[in-house]
Amino acid sequence: MSSIELDHVSKLYANGAYGVRDVDLTIEEGEFVIFLGPSGCGKSTTLRMIAGLESISSGDLRIGGRGVNNVAPRDRNIAVVFQSYALYPHMSVRDNMGFGLKMRGVARPVIETKINEAAGLLGLTPYLDRKPAALSGGQRQRVALGRAIVRDPVAFLLDEPLSNLDAQLRAEMRLELVKLHRRLGRTIVHVTHDQVEAMTMGDRICIMREGRMVQVGRPLDVYADPVDTFVARFLATPPMNLIPARLESRGDGLMLIGAGFELAVPERHRAAYQPHSGREVIFGLRPEDLHEAPQPGLQRLDLTVVAMESLGVENILVGQFGLEPALEMSARLSRHFTAQIGATVPLYLDLTPMHLFDPETTRALPRPSLRLVKP
């Protein structure tokens, strides 16, 4: 058993500030879980408490059903891979990978077998006799992973292991880590501030803010149904558009009215949002739900272009609408779309995936989920 259970775990520092507060989470055996959040949110502190590198102020931590609050890091049988790789520069790849086993008194033939197996798994066999200085960043990261694999731990803790790599290497290593997880079948906890890593790698995302876990779920579920405006904006680039508005009943319909726009709430959400009629709300819509061509069911909004970002595969438009102070919305459009700065262009909004948030609490107002079919 390699499940990891955090039962109302907190970290309180001597100055009275909480690094982590009341984290309640069960990571199942063999699961790939992402801790996602901005710098200083407590994700690395949580990982370090699991590893035993940080003490727990309150709550209980269990690994494989065994309480480990007071168990030394080396006795938890968990491997940690850090952002810095922490390789010994004077040692070869072979010696770096086997050093931990050597310190534990493992027989040399066993060490060699484990090194060769891990090197084969990670594509490091041709580099076993090189020093770290002769390796690329991606290869050094593989060595750090290999050093963890040879220990045969019950779980791997990865603390922003890809942040030192360039964009191309980072994309390659994301895929390599997913493949590695499938081959090994071990529990992995991966800390990152990168939304792409979170969406593409994990079985579940745990989004943290100010020491607390604000939402836990499968990536597409969290993306489709964020619990508040923080999650809505943090989990994508460009972030969700959040616009002040007011709900008003008109006949048997429901309108969303703001500065420079009036939009009809789709029938799918009408019953859920009707009790909030007459209230101020925050209207949320993701950039990919604005389209350049009219389609049945879409609603028009004219935007004045203030910026265009051409990314090759797509164009990101930032436009303003309404009176002073003007509001802004971002739209993710096709690579064929062009517009001049200052031009007014019509875009067409699909409100089916819309969200409404309470402006005081920032919490999402309940509505029917778009993720009704579970994989």
Side-chain angles (χ1 to χ4, degrees), residues 165-372:
L165 305 180
D166 61 41
Q168 182 176 346
L169 272 177
R170 200 157 57 239
E172 292 174 1
M173 284 302 299
R174 285 201 303 266
L175 181 58
E176 291 301 318
L177 282 173
V178 171
K179 290 179 179 177
L180 185 65
H181 175 247
R182 290 174 181 166
R183 291 170 188 161
L184 298 177
R186 300 297 171 86
T187 305
I188 294 180
V189 181
H190 179 112
V191 164
T192 184
H193 62 270
D194 187 299
Q195 299 95 328
V196 175
E197 287 181 29
M199 289 295 297
T200 57
M201 295 173 63
D203 298 319
R204 281 193 299 161
I205 300 176
C206 305
I207 298 184
M208 298 190 68
R209 182 188 189 190
E210 297 176 352
R212 295 183 181 273
M213 285 194 177
V214 295
Q215 187 167 3
V216 178
R218 288 176 294 188
L220 291 179
D221 290 340
V222 175
Y223 187 84
D225 295 304
V227 297
D228 59 19
T229 56
F230 170 77
V231 176
R233 288 189 62 81
F234 190 78
L235 196 56
T237 303
M240 181 184 289
N241 298 298
L242 297 175
I243 308 296
R246 182 178 179 83
L247 274 177
E248 289 189 9
S249 297
R250 288 195 181 168
D252 59 354
L254 191 62
M255 300 297 295
L256 193 61
I257 300 174
F261 67 92
E262 291 190 8
L263 301 168
V265 174
E267 185 177 356
R268 175 189 181 94
H269 303 316
R270 199 176 298 159
Y273 288 149
Q274 185 66 51
H276 304 283
S277 178
R279 288 181 53 187
E280 301 295 323
V281 295
I282 298 174
F283 163 50
L285 194 68
R286 294 204 181 275
E288 59 266 31
D289 296 318
L290 284 75
H291 302 273
E292 58 206 71
Q295 301 173 35
L298 302 191
Q299 303 182 54
R300 176 171 169 166
L301 180 66
D302 291 340
L303 298 178
T304 300
V305 180
V306 296
M308 285 283 295
E309 297 180 359
S310 297
L311 304 180
V313 68
E314 63 186 3
N315 289 327
I316 306 298
L317 177 148
V318 179
Q320 291 183 337
F321 63 97
L323 303 175
E324 294 292 338
L327 302 173
E328 285 190 354
M329 292 188 81
S330 297
R332 190 189 298 272
L333 304 172
S334 78
R335 61 183 176 179
H336 305 294
F337 180 88
T338 58
Q340 295 295 320
I341 304 300
T344 298
V345 298
L347 293 181
Y348 301 88
L349 281 57
D350 179 5
L351 265 60
T352 303
M354 67 174 283
H355 300 270
L356 295 181
F357 301 91
D358 186 313
E360 293 183 3
T361 67
T362 74
R363 301 286 294 180
L365 302 180
R367 62 139 172 80
S369 174
L370 300 183
R371 295 282 296 166
L372 297 178

Side-chain angles (χ1 to χ4, degrees), residues 17 35 37 41 95 102-103 130 143 207 226 235 252 267 301 339:
F35 288 176
C41 71
D95 290 338
K102 180 181 178 181
M103 291 297 97
R130 293 190 186 181
V143 175
I207 298 184
L235 196 56
D252 59 354
E267 185 177 356
L301 180 66

Side-chain angles (χ1 to χ4, degrees), residues 46-66:
T46 305
L47 182 119
R48 290 174 63 84
M49 287 193 290
I50 295 172
L53 303 176
E54 196 83 55
S55 63
I56 295 173
S57 302
S58 63
D60 294 304
L61 174 65
R62 293 180 290 274
I63 298 175
R66 178 175 70 115

